[in-house]
Amino acid sequence: MRRVTIKEVAALAGVSPSTVSRVLNGKDAGHMRPETKERVLAAIRALDYTPAKAARTLRKRKTGVIAILLPDISNPFFSLLARGVASVAFEHGLSTLICDSDNSLEKETQFWDILLAEGVDGVVFVPVGEPDGAKVEKLRRRGVEMVIADRRVPGFPVVEADNRGGSASLAELLVSLGYRRIAYLAGPKGVSTAEDRLEGFQVALEKHGLSPTVVRCGDFTYESGYSLAREVLSQHPGMEAIVAGNDLMAIGALRAAEDLGIAVPRKLGIAGFDHVFPADLVRPRLTTVAVPAYQMGKEAMRLLIEGAKAPERKVLPVKPILGESTPRR
Amino acid sequence: MRRVTIKEVAALAGVSPSTVSRVLNGKDAGHMRPETKERVLAAIRALDYTPAKAARTLRKRKTGVIAILLPDISNPFFSLLARGVASVAFEHGLSTLICDSDNSLEKETQFWDILLAEGVDGVVFVPVGEPDGAKVEKLRRRGVEMVIADRRVPGFPVVEADNRGGSASLAELLVSLGYRRIAYLAGPKGVSTAEDRLEGFQVALEKHGLSPTVVRCGDFTYESGYSLAREVLSQHPGMEAIVAGNDLMAIGALRAAEDLGIAVPRKLGIAGFDHVFPADLVRPRLTTVAVPAYQMGKEAMRLLIEGAKAPERKVLPVKPILGESTPRR
DNA sequence: TTGAAAGCGCTAACAG
DNA sequence: CTGTTAGCGCTTTCAA
């Protein structure tokens, strides 16, 4: 890749490289002859010069690149979150490296080394499960800033949704609609999002002297929602509602009910969490809890920029959405 | 960001930096004492050393980073495509910079400068519309490899779907089902994908002495599908089918019909293109044409790696999917 | 207000 | 088989 260098620009403008560098970095405040500056700018334009970031990085020890490491970019929740991160990064002149760990802890671990080599200035991290402690510790020692999004990891700043609260409201809603026999299809163990939602739900039910009739664990995918729901519905014929840890699983459950000939919502209520795009596409429309994924990405990136001054934890409000998958009374 | 350097490793291993470098780059084939190599490896492990990519880049004039510049990562078609690109890049030890132009030509243009500064080795490019010729030409002059995906740009290697063929098959299908009065909601002008699909459809209809009753242009979003369909359906009460340039628009049309109280498929047939995840979620399930987005990403990345040796154009086969949104007869 | 010089961490000749 | 040397393109003292 042939490059125009700062030297060539300097030569054309009849100045030294340092002068060009000063113009490039805005370090000419007041004390540079406007004429000189103009000559430099002209040379830059003439040669269509773009400074090499690698050289700059080497010198400044800052890459101007941040990474977002997440489980699956084709999951609408995460792609929205990623857009939020990228938009704030872009505003601050930072580039965004999107790293898709493909729901694999192993791949995630490999990425830590890549990010370290890449020398990213910071990372917004959505862990697959329990992250590799040693690697993460190494990053921290090396001074790479890190903010966790959507899920908690002890000892790191985090931006998350009010999962317990949202889940509790959802439980209240279902109870008020008259549902009693409820199956809960949770997300994966060890993921705070999944656990908070389940606990929030259970605690709220207990206040009414109730508890989920069945609890099963899935992995937040459409497929796991489908198969768990199928299983639960065949084993428990009188089930009144299925509540899933996220919308994708809830939509899987909806399909399972459909395939089993169980009418939703007449015979079975279904609810999810997240309010991703597909939740409004299915019929009946999903009852769910809206989580501001895009804003979560933005907030996470903001915390990353603020660094040490930032709060250790930011909780975003959520909002229950009453769809048509849970009418009754 | 404190860094362990190659010098420190060399010192600990009691060798010169070049020796460490040789180990790092596998340039020790045969002619290095195994014992020396072992000492170096031990030192690397002891210090938990990771080479600085910036320095390497500066020296080798290769970053090991490729970019994928696309209109919207939260569009399921593109996020799948991006995953395909990233997976092949990962296999080859390349990092992937995902650049979301947010459907804006201006932002897209800004990205070209960023990518140039970043010094990416190559770009998989899904243009928003007609790309900025000057910028793209500059990239090429600077030796940045580029492959276009999904849409054609004259003069660049491209991986695309058989849009004309797929659209023609779809037209045949609809005709055979008995549809005659058909509205076509096309994608944006100037985008080859949109134009090919429209033309393929028209040509196939003409063979039967037919042509679309109405043709409108949208922008491939759910919203544009919704509003165009609403308009068309109110203005042309007897319309038998709406065919959209992609699934998102088709789903918008489905919602419009729903809101207008027009029964699909009893009163109106609807078809899309792409076969993205949501197409199977809506009811009635969408009749569409499956485009292998993930594979398209993979192929694009492969072309990028093969470089000049690669074919100039690769067309991926598509497959019509008969859903429930177009029964009849 | 500007220039000269040193060096960020690495690799690639060229010696030895 | 391994070390020495000279940069890659930029920023940043320090001096003028």
Side-chain angles (χ1 to χ4, degrees):
Chain A
M1 169 158 175
R2 150 127 196 64
R3 270 208 161 280
V4 176
T5 74
I6 201 170
K7 267 183 156 174
E8 299 171 47
V9 175
L12 180 60
V15 298
S16 78
S18 353
T19 301
V20 178
S21 171
R22 286 187 190 106
V23 173
L24 249 30
N25 294 282
K27 304 242 164 102
D28 55 313
H31 30 241
M32 183 178 292
R33 265 218 305 283
E35 180 210 313
T36 312
K37 182 171 179 179
E38 200 31 72
R39 281 221 312 285
V40 171
L41 256 18
I44 289 177
R45 258 178 274 118
L47 297 176
D48 205 0
Y49 166 71
T50 324
K53 264 202 70 178
R56 216 171 226 187
T57 296
L58 195 56
R59 194 52 238 232
K60 305 224 255 202
R61 279 105 166 279
K62 282 258 170 221
T63 50
V65 174
I66 63 99
I68 167 164
L69 176 52
L70 44 71
D72 177 6
I73 189 66
S74 67
N75 176 320
F77 184 85
F78 295 132
S79 66
L80 217 57
L81 194 150
R83 287 199 114 196
V85 171
S87 79
V88 173
F90 188 83
E91 285 168 14
H92 289 260
L94 298 166
S95 301
T96 308
L97 204 56
I98 300 189
C99 304
D100 188 327
S101 57
D102 206 3
N103 270 306
S104 137
L105 243 147
E106 191 195 332
K107 212 165 171 186
E108 185 178 281
T109 303
Q110 290 183 53
F111 267 119
W112 289 122
D113 277 329
I114 295 176
L115 294 184
L116 214 45
E118 212 69 60
V120 295
D121 293 339
V123 183
V124 172
F125 179 30
V126 184
V128 167
E130 308 272 4
D132 184 320
K135 286 275 189 248
V136 167
E137 206 30 64
K138 182 174 168 188
L139 269 269
R140 196 212 287 269
R141 271 206 318 279
R142 292 287 219 282
V144 179
E145 301 281 344
M146 180 150 110
V147 171
I148 313 292
D150 186 52
R151 302 165 178 196
R152 285 192 305 278
V153 172
F156 286 94
V158 64
V159 179
E160 61 178 334
D162 177 15
N163 293 307
R164 293 185 73 100
S167 210
S169 315
L170 185 63
E172 291 293 344
L173 181 66
L174 293 181
V175 170
S176 77
L177 291 172
Y179 289 102
R180 293 296 176 270
R181 302 199 63 209
I182 302 173
Y184 194 95
L185 310 185
K189 283 200 195 1
V191 172
S192 71
T193 317
E195 289 170 352
D196 289 358
R197 289 176 185 177
L198 173 56
E199 285 172 27
F201 196 83
Q202 286 177 317
V203 168
L205 282 193
E206 275 161 25
K207 286 194 187 143
H208 296 271
L210 299 169
S211 70
T213 309
V214 191
V215 174
R216 291 291 165 83
C217 258
D219 65 358
F220 277 156
T221 62
Y222 170 85
E223 288 75 19
S224 84
Y226 182 86
S227 56
L228 286 178
R230 230 183 138 116
E231 208 180 295
V232 167
L233 290 172
S234 358
Q235 291 169 4
H236 306 264
M239 195 57 69
E240 294 168 359
I242 291 189
V243 177
N246 73 352
D247 287 346
L248 254 36
M249 287 181 76
I251 293 173
L254 196 62
R255 288 300 157 250
E258 185 181 73
D259 289 357
L260 292 170
I262 300 173
V264 177
R266 210 162 46 72
K267 292 286 180 191
L268 179 76
I270 290 186
F273 212 112
D274 282 346
H275 197 222
V276 291
F277 179 64
D280 273 342
L281 252 36
V282 296
R283 289 295 177 271
R285 235 180 290 250
L286 214 55
T287 288
T288 181
V289 179
V291 177
Y294 186 75
Q295 201 203 331
M296 186 180 283
K298 287 187 136 182
E299 292 294 343
M301 190 59 214
R302 287 196 191 113
L303 284 206
L304 199 58
I305 288 169
E306 290 170 24
K309 303 180 288 297
E312 275 304 287
R313 180 145 177 265
K314 179 134 200 170
V315 179
L316 303 179
V318 300
K319 188 170 146 232
I321 307 275
L322 180 57
E324 301 138 1
S325 60
T326 54
R328 275 215 159 184
R329 58 164 47 166
Chain B
M1 171 159 173
R2 152 128 193 64
R3 270 208 160 281
V4 176
T5 75
I6 202 171
K7 267 182 156 176
E8 300 172 46
V9 175
L12 180 61
V15 300
S16 78
S18 358
T19 301
V20 178
S21 172
R22 284 186 190 107
V23 173
L24 251 28
N25 294 284
K27 302 238 164 108
D28 55 312
H31 32 240
M32 184 179 292
R33 256 213 318 276
E35 181 208 314
T36 313
K37 181 171 179 178
E38 199 33 69
R39 280 218 315 285
V40 171
L41 256 19
I44 289 176
R45 257 178 275 119
L47 297 176
D48 204 358
Y49 166 72
T50 324
K53 266 202 71 179
R56 216 174 228 184
T57 295
L58 195 55
R59 192 55 239 228
K60 304 222 255 206
R61 279 108 164 274
K62 281 256 169 223
T63 52
V65 174
I66 64 98
I68 167 163
L69 176 51
L70 44 72
D72 176 6
I73 190 67
S74 68
N75 176 319
F77 184 85
F78 295 133
S79 65
L80 216 58
L81 194 150
R83 288 200 113 193
V85 171
S87 80
V88 173
F90 188 84
E91 285 168 13
H92 290 259
L94 298 166
S95 301
T96 308
L97 204 55
I98 301 189
C99 304
D100 187 327
S101 57
D102 206 4
N103 270 307
S104 139
L105 242 148
E106 191 195 332
K107 212 164 171 186
E108 185 178 282
T109 304
Q110 290 182 51
F111 267 120
W112 290 123
D113 276 328
I114 295 176
L115 295 184
L116 213 44
E118 212 69 60
V120 295
D121 294 339
V123 183
V124 173
F125 180 29
V126 185
V128 167
E130 308 272 1
D132 183 321
K135 286 276 188 247
V136 168
E137 205 32 63
K138 182 175 169 189
L139 269 269
R140 196 213 286 269
R141 273 206 318 277
R142 293 287 220 284
V144 178
E145 302 281 345
M146 180 150 108
V147 171
I148 313 291
D150 186 50
R151 303 163 178 196
R152 284 192 305 279
V153 172
F156 286 93
V158 64
V159 179
E160 62 179 334
D162 178 15
N163 292 308
R164 292 186 75 99
S167 210
S169 315
L170 185 63
E172 291 293 345
L173 182 65
L174 293 181
V175 169
S176 77
L177 290 172
Y179 290 102
R180 293 296 177 270
R181 302 199 62 208
I182 302 174
Y184 193 95
L185 310 185
K189 285 204 192 1
V191 172
S192 70
T193 318
E195 288 169 352
D196 289 359
R197 289 176 186 177
L198 173 57
E199 284 172 27
F201 196 83
Q202 286 176 317
V203 168
L205 282 193
E206 274 161 24
K207 287 196 185 139
H208 295 271
L210 299 169
S211 70
T213 309
V214 191
V215 174
R216 291 291 165 84
C217 258
D219 66 358
F220 276 157
T221 62
Y222 169 85
E223 287 75 20
S224 83
Y226 182 87
S227 57
L228 286 177
R230 234 185 134 113
E231 207 181 295
V232 167
L233 290 173
S234 359
Q235 290 169 5
H236 305 265
M239 195 56 68
E240 294 169 358
I242 290 188
V243 177
N246 73 351
D247 288 345
L248 254 37
M249 287 182 77
I251 293 173
L254 196 61
R255 288 300 158 250
E258 184 181 72
D259 288 356
L260 293 170
I262 300 172
V264 177
R266 209 161 45 75
K267 292 284 180 191
L268 178 76
I270 291 186
F273 212 112
D274 281 346
H275 197 222
V276 291
F277 178 65
D280 273 341
L281 251 36
V282 295
R283 290 294 177 273
R285 233 179 294 249
L286 216 55
T287 288
T288 182
V289 180
V291 177
Y294 187 75
Q295 201 204 328
M296 187 181 283
K298 288 188 133 180
E299 292 294 344
M301 189 60 216
R302 287 198 192 111
L303 283 206
L304 199 58
I305 287 169
E306 289 170 25
K309 303 181 289 297
E312 275 304 287
R313 181 148 176 266
K314 180 133 200 170
V315 178
L316 303 180
V318 300
K319 191 170 143 229
I321 307 275
L322 181 56
E324 302 137 1
S325 60
T326 54
R328 276 219 161 183
R329 59 157 54 164

